[in-house]
């Protein structure tokens, strides 16, 4: 990219899965919003998949002029082919975010998606379910309170978010809000892939939990906490208790397994969600984190583990950081992991990650009984990139993947 410090956090495609087989529509562009800069890059992947090229830059002044949105986070493509990008807040870092709408042909900024009558608020990830005519978004942190890292001084002040918003997909009106608890900090949202399903999940890093949301027979949407990763009592860390920080979740295409990663604890988990109300842990592997033996942290009390995990080394490299972003192959057999959250948080929790760069790993998945193991032959080291070390986050499959495809 021609600029530094955009903080490219998420990516998305220019066409939905519903366009598959339509010869007039190609999934040939990747949309990359900058969390810090408010700039949007459009990258041509169709001309040469192995040599993507920049084809459009949407400057922040155009976005601010038409929407006053900033701190852009998650892009997704609607069935109408319009591209939506969620925004944490306004151009000044206040919690007045929303959804930016882009034309997929001209890349013109069309405006904001939500109705002005409902006001504007902080918005992280979102997912929509066309057959139920809803879009559900996570009410996340206020930008100006996360730009310098995590601070417990910001807790209990409404600065990290704590609910889901349910929107009418057709009218763009706010239908209801679902309280997840103060400072739960919801961030990643996903429905099950079955287009008839009324079930979905949201990860909450600050309380290290995952909530299950669903539609009741009466037509209301509700949520229940179904996974809670317990804190560890520790010494030698920045706080006396260590939260797991469950950042990302991904659901297998057959809707059988949910995967989650604990960025600070350092483990990736696999849950059987055959019963969406009662996930069962069936796989777990440590690939870094702050709990490793021989480090500065000593675990004093741990309700889950008998001993601290060994340092994670692959192909002779000691991996820095912890798992934060996941992507799953369509057959569910390969789970890919990266380790960078956001520069201020990386510097705060994993300074060596900033100095040495991040990695991408592959976990092999037992899709029958459940289970995870690291593939020792696969390692992408971004520490040796030109102009690096670099830190990688989001991943995309050109032919479709388990985190961006939504069926009508």
């Amino acid at each position: 990219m021609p600029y530094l410090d955009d903080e490219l956090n998420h990516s998305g495609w220019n066409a939905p899965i519903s366009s598959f087989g339509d010869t007039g529509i190609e999934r040939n562009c990747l949309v990359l919003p900058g969390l810090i800069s408010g700039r949007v890059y459009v990258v041509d992947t169709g001309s040469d998949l192995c040599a993507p090229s920049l084809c459009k830059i949407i400057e922040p002044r155009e976005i601010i002029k038409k929407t006053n949105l900033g701190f852009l986070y998650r892009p997704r493509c609607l069935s109408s082919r319009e591209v939506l990008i969620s925004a944490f807040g306004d151009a000044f870092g206040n919690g007045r975010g929303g959804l930016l709408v882009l034309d997929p042909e001209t890349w013109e900024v069309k405006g904001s998606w939500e109705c002005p009558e409902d006001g504007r608020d902080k918005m992280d990830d979102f997912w929509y379910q066309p057959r139920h005519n809803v879009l559900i978004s996570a009410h996340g942190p206020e930008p100006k309170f996360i730009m310098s890292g995590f601070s417990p001084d910001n807790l209990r002040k409404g600065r990290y978010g704590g609910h889901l918003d349910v929107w009418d997909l057709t009218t763009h009106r706010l239908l209801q809000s679902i309280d997840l608890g103060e400072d739960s900090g919801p961030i990643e949202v996903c429905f099950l892939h079955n287009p008839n399903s009324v079930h979905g999940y949201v990860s909450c890093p600050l309380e290290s939990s995952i909530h299950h949301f669903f539609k009741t027979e009466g037509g209301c949407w509700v949520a229940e906490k179904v996974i809670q990763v317990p804190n560890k009592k520790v010494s030698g860390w920045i706080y006396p208790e260590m939260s797991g920080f469950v950042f990302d979740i991904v659901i297998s295409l057959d809707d059988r397994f949910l995967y989650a990663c604990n960025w600070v604890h350092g483990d990736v988990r696999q849950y059987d969600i055959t019963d969406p109300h009662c996930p069962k842990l069936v796989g777990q592997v440590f690939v870094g984190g702050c709990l490793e033996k021989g480090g500065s942290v000593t675990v004093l009390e741990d309700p889950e583990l008998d001993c601290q995990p060994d340092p994670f080394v692959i192909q002779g490299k000691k991996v820095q950081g912890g798992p934060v972003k996941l992507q799953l192959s369509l057959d569910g057999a390969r789970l890919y992991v990266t380790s960078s959250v956001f520069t201020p948080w990386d510097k705060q929790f994993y300074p060596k990650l900033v100095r040495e760069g991040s990695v991408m790993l592959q976990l092999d998945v037992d899709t029958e009984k459940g289970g995870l193991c690291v593939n020792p032959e696969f390692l992408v080291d971004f520490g040796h990139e030109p102009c690096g070390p670099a830190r990688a986050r989001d991943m995309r499959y050109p032919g479709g993947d388990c985190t961006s495809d939504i069926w009508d």
Side-chain angles (χ1 to χ4, degrees), residues 203-326:
S203 62
C204 299
L206 297 187
E207 69 169 16
S208 294
S209 68
I210 297 173
H211 293 248
H212 164 230
F213 60 84
F214 59 98
K215 188 178 183 180
T216 66
E217 292 183 359
C220 291
W221 293 86
V222 297
E224 58 183 353
K225 186 188 295 187
V226 291
I227 296 172
Q228 177 65 64
V229 177
N231 290 354
K232 323 286 188 184
K233 290 186 178 180
V234 299
S235 64
W237 200 55
I238 51 180
Y239 306 112
E241 288 199 9
M242 182 186 288
S243 174
F245 282 76
V246 183
F247 268 100
D248 200 19
I249 53 175
V250 59
I251 295 174
S252 61
L253 208 58
D254 60 4
D255 291 334
R256 183 182 171 192
F257 295 114
L258 177 145
Y259 300 87
C261 52
N262 291 305
W263 184 55
V264 173
H265 288 176
D267 58 317
V268 178
R269 300 184 179 209
Q270 179 189 26
Y271 292 91
D272 186 321
I273 54 170
T274 304
D275 178 355
H277 298 275
C278 188
K280 296 179 180 178
L281 182 64
V282 294
Q284 182 180 23
V285 63
F286 280 84
V287 290
C290 294
L291 292 174
E292 297 175 330
K293 292 177 183 176
S296 59
V297 174
T298 300
V299 177
L300 306 175
E301 186 178 321
D302 188 339
E304 292 186 312
L305 302 176
D306 294 328
C307 62
Q308 293 177 235
D310 293 323
F312 180 63
V313 178
I314 182 170
Q315 297 183 20
K317 178 179 176 62
K318 167 68 170 66
V319 172
Q320 305 297 335
V324 72
K325 195 65 182 171
L326 304 172

Side-chain angles (χ1 to χ4, degrees), residues 132-185:
H132 296 283
N133 196 39
V134 294
L135 181 150
I136 294 184
S137 63
H139 177 266
E142 197 163 345
K144 59 187 175 185
F145 296 114
I146 64 170
M147 291 300 110
S148 58
F150 171 72
S151 172
D153 293 338
N154 290 323
L155 296 173
R156 294 176 292 281
K157 296 177 182 176
R159 294 172 175 174
Y160 286 126
H163 64 259
L164 295 175
D165 288 326
V166 183
W167 304 83
D168 185 298
L169 189 58
T170 302
T171 66
H172 307 180
R173 295 303 306 265
L174 180 64
L175 301 176
Q176 67 175 101
S177 292
I178 307 171
D179 184 19
L180 302 178
E182 186 179 24
D183 294 324
S184 54

Side-chain angles (χ1 to χ4, degrees), residues 34-184:
L35 182 59
I36 295 296
S37 68
R39 188 177 287 114
V40 178
Y41 297 102
V42 182
V43 175
D44 175 8
T45 62
S47 299
D48 187 343
L49 188 60
C50 296
S53 58
L54 184 61
C55 63
K56 177 71 175 179
I57 300 177
I58 306 171
E59 294 291 351
R61 60 179 176 271
E62 181 182 355
I63 295 169
I64 293 169
K65 181 180 179 181
K66 293 187 177 180
T67 67
N68 196 34
L69 292 174
F71 301 90
L72 306 181
Y73 187 67
R74 162 75 82 171
R76 290 195 188 279
C77 190
L78 293 174
S79 303
S80 64
R81 291 199 60 218
E82 289 179 319
V83 174
L84 300 186
I85 302 178
S86 62
F88 277 156
D90 63 18
F92 301 100
N94 301 306
R96 292 177 54 79
L99 288 171
L100 168 70
V101 185
L102 300 178
D103 184 292
E105 297 292 339
T106 64
W107 297 110
E108 175 191 358
V109 177
K110 299 181 70 174
S112 298
W113 181 85
E114 63 279 1
C115 289
E117 295 87 345
D118 293 315
R120 299 175 68 172
D121 213 337
K122 301 165 286 191
M123 192 175 291
D124 279 358
D125 194 14
F126 65 98
W127 196 288
Y128 62 94
Q129 197 73 318
R131 294 189 187 180
H132 296 283
N133 196 39
V134 294
L135 181 150
I136 294 184
S137 63
H139 177 266
E142 197 163 345
K144 59 187 175 185
F145 296 114
I146 64 170
M147 291 300 110
S148 58
F150 171 72
S151 172
D153 293 338
N154 290 323
L155 296 173
R156 294 176 292 281
K157 296 177 182 176
R159 294 172 175 174
Y160 286 126
H163 64 259
L164 295 175
D165 288 326
V166 183
W167 304 83
D168 185 298
L169 189 58
T170 302
T171 66
H172 307 180
R173 295 303 306 265
L174 180 64
L175 301 176
Q176 67 175 101
S177 292
I178 307 171
D179 184 19
L180 302 178
E182 186 179 24
D183 294 324
S184 54

Side-chain angles (χ1 to χ4, degrees), residues 182-209:
E182 186 179 24
D183 294 324
S184 54
I187 191 167
E188 298 292 331
V189 179
C190 54
F191 268 100
L192 298 191
H193 297 287
N194 181 344
N196 293 315
S197 177
V198 295
H199 298 276
Y201 296 88
V202 56
S203 62
C204 299
L206 297 187
E207 69 169 16
S208 294
S209 68

